[in-house]
């Protein structure tokens, strides 16, 4: 599913001075990500035999690379509340490709992404290399995918997914889909398992469209990416961490999805 607005935003505009800002940042980001990935893969060769599916060191490398990426871009991040650091689930509204860097910079986690992402240029390669769990939106595969999620949670990973199923313009929260929440209600999981809601609210650079950081509809990645890099003044993103929801206190996946949506929506609109 792709969210399409009633009124699409104007296409990104790049003046010559924007290119003077974007290109040095692009070179620096490329070097940072490639070096970070090389270090990640080298450490993983040692980490995998010792820790198996767990990533005690490489998850930290991933986190630091994301923090450095945001610093290069110049996007300010304001965090409110306490992020969860134990095995369970994190759910957030989805506005942009920037969400990935913003969320990983705040806590060590593993993304759950739609299968199509694996085929995307650059992003898909990075996602595969860093342990992203890919899922297909196919009811026939739902049972197997729930089992995969439960396995990851069982080894104390923090799994983050976007229950809206698509990104938006950053100005709204769409209804949460309940399917993947079933993984956190299955047998054999820890009794203290929790789901933490997270709300992301972007503020555009001065003078820009309020939806500027949103990546949605038929927007191409490269034009939007370069537009963000070329801003002489960046905006900010506010990350609000809600109170974790105890899974044992929720009767069904639909009730869990509804509770998480209500918490995210409340923080987003509050």
């Amino acid at each position: 599913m792709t969210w399409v607005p009633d009124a699409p935003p104007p296409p990104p505009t790049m003046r010559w001075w924007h290119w003077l800002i974007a290109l040095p940042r692009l070179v620096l980001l490329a070097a940072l990500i490639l070096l970070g990935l090389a270090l990640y893969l080298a450490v993983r060769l040692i980490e995998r035999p010792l820790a198996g599916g767990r990533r005690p060191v490489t998850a930290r490398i991933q986190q630091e690379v994301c923090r450095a990426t945001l610093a290069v871009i110049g996007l300010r991040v304001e965090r409110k509340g306490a992020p969860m650091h134990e095995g369970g689930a994190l759910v957030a509204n989805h506005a942009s490709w920037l969400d990935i860097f913003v969320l990983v910079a705040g806590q060590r986690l593993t993304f759950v992404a739609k299968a199509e992402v694996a085929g995307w240029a650059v992003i898909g390669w990075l996602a595969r290399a860093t342990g992203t769990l890919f899922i297909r939106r196919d009811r026939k595969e739902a049972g197997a995918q729930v089992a995969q999620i439960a396995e990851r949670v069982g080894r104390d990973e923090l799994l983050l997914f976007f229950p809206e199923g698509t990104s938006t313009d950053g100005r709204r929260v769409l209804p949460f889909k309940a399917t993947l929440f079933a993984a956190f209600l299955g047998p054999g999981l820890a009794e203290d398992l929790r789901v933490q809601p997270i709300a992301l609210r972007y503020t555009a650079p001065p003078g820009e469209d309020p939806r500027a950081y949103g990546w949605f509809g038929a927007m191409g990645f490269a034009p939007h990416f370069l537009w963000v890099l070329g801003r002489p003044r960046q905006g900010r993103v506010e990350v609000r961490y809600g109170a974790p929801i105890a899974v044992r206190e929720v009767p069904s996946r639909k009730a869990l999805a509804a509770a998480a949506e209500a918490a995210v929506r409340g923080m987003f609109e509050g």
Side-chain angles (χ1 to χ4, degrees):
M1 183 185 73
T2 300
W3 181 77
V4 179
D6 295 331
T13 56
M14 292 287 287
R15 308 298 183 189
W16 64 267
W17 60 86
H18 294 143
W19 287 105
L20 293 180
I21 298 170
L23 291 178
R25 285 176 172 170
L26 179 61
V27 172
L28 186 55
L29 280 180
L32 171 65
I33 291 174
L34 288 175
L35 288 173
L37 182 61
L39 178 61
Y40 180 101
L41 295 176
V43 172
R44 189 62 184 148
L45 289 175
I46 302 171
E47 185 184 55
R48 184 184 293 275
L50 298 176
R54 293 181 173 85
R55 300 183 301 139
V57 179
T58 52
R60 182 57 181 268
I61 294 173
Q62 187 176 348
Q63 185 179 29
E64 294 302 326
V65 169
C66 287
R67 288 175 176 173
T69 297
L70 293 173
V72 171
I73 293 174
L75 181 67
R76 290 174 291 137
V77 183
E78 299 177 7
R79 301 185 190 274
K80 297 183 179 181
M84 197 168 72
H85 296 289
E86 300 173 352
L90 310 168
V91 295
N93 61 297
H94 191 17
S96 175
W97 54 269
L98 284 162
D99 298 347
I100 297 172
F101 296 98
V102 170
L103 291 168
V104 174
Q107 58 198 136
R108 303 178 199 180
L109 54 85
T110 299
F111 273 94
V112 179
K114 59 185 180 182
E116 291 88 338
V117 173
W120 291 358
V122 183
I123 291 181
W125 182 56
L126 290 172
R128 291 194 303 272
T130 52
T132 297
L133 176 59
F134 296 105
I135 59 169
R136 295 186 183 278
R137 301 192 184 280
D138 186 337
R139 291 182 179 180
K140 295 179 181 179
E141 299 185 27
Q145 291 167 357
V146 165
Q148 286 181 296
I149 293 174
E151 179 187 359
R152 296 283 190 107
V153 172
R155 64 189 188 207
D156 292 331
E157 286 191 47
L158 272 178
L159 294 182
L160 183 134
F161 63 99
F162 300 112
E164 293 165 300
T166 183
S167 56
T168 71
D169 59 1
R171 309 294 289 173
R172 70 202 70 234
V173 176
L174 300 179
F176 281 12
K177 299 182 181 303
T179 303
L180 292 181
F181 285 93
F184 307 101
L185 296 167
L189 296 177
E191 292 186 359
D192 60 348
L193 193 64
R194 298 176 297 165
V195 173
Q196 183 172 41
I198 303 173
L200 302 173
R201 296 201 307 184
Y202 287 87
T203 300
E208 301 287 356
D209 190 302
R211 304 166 294 175
Y213 287 122
W215 182 48
F216 53 93
M219 296 173 66
F221 171 73
H224 191 258
F225 176 70
L226 291 171
W227 182 91
V228 171
L229 292 188
R231 295 307 94 186
R233 293 178 62 191
Q234 294 288 359
R236 63 183 177 87
V237 56
E238 182 181 274
V239 186
R240 292 189 175 187
Y241 298 95
I245 302 168
V247 173
R248 66 175 180 272
E249 298 177 0
V250 183
S252 68
R253 63 182 176 86
K254 290 185 177 181
L256 184 56
E261 178 187 336
V264 171
R265 193 177 297 277
M267 291 185 291
F268 184 86
E269 297 174 354

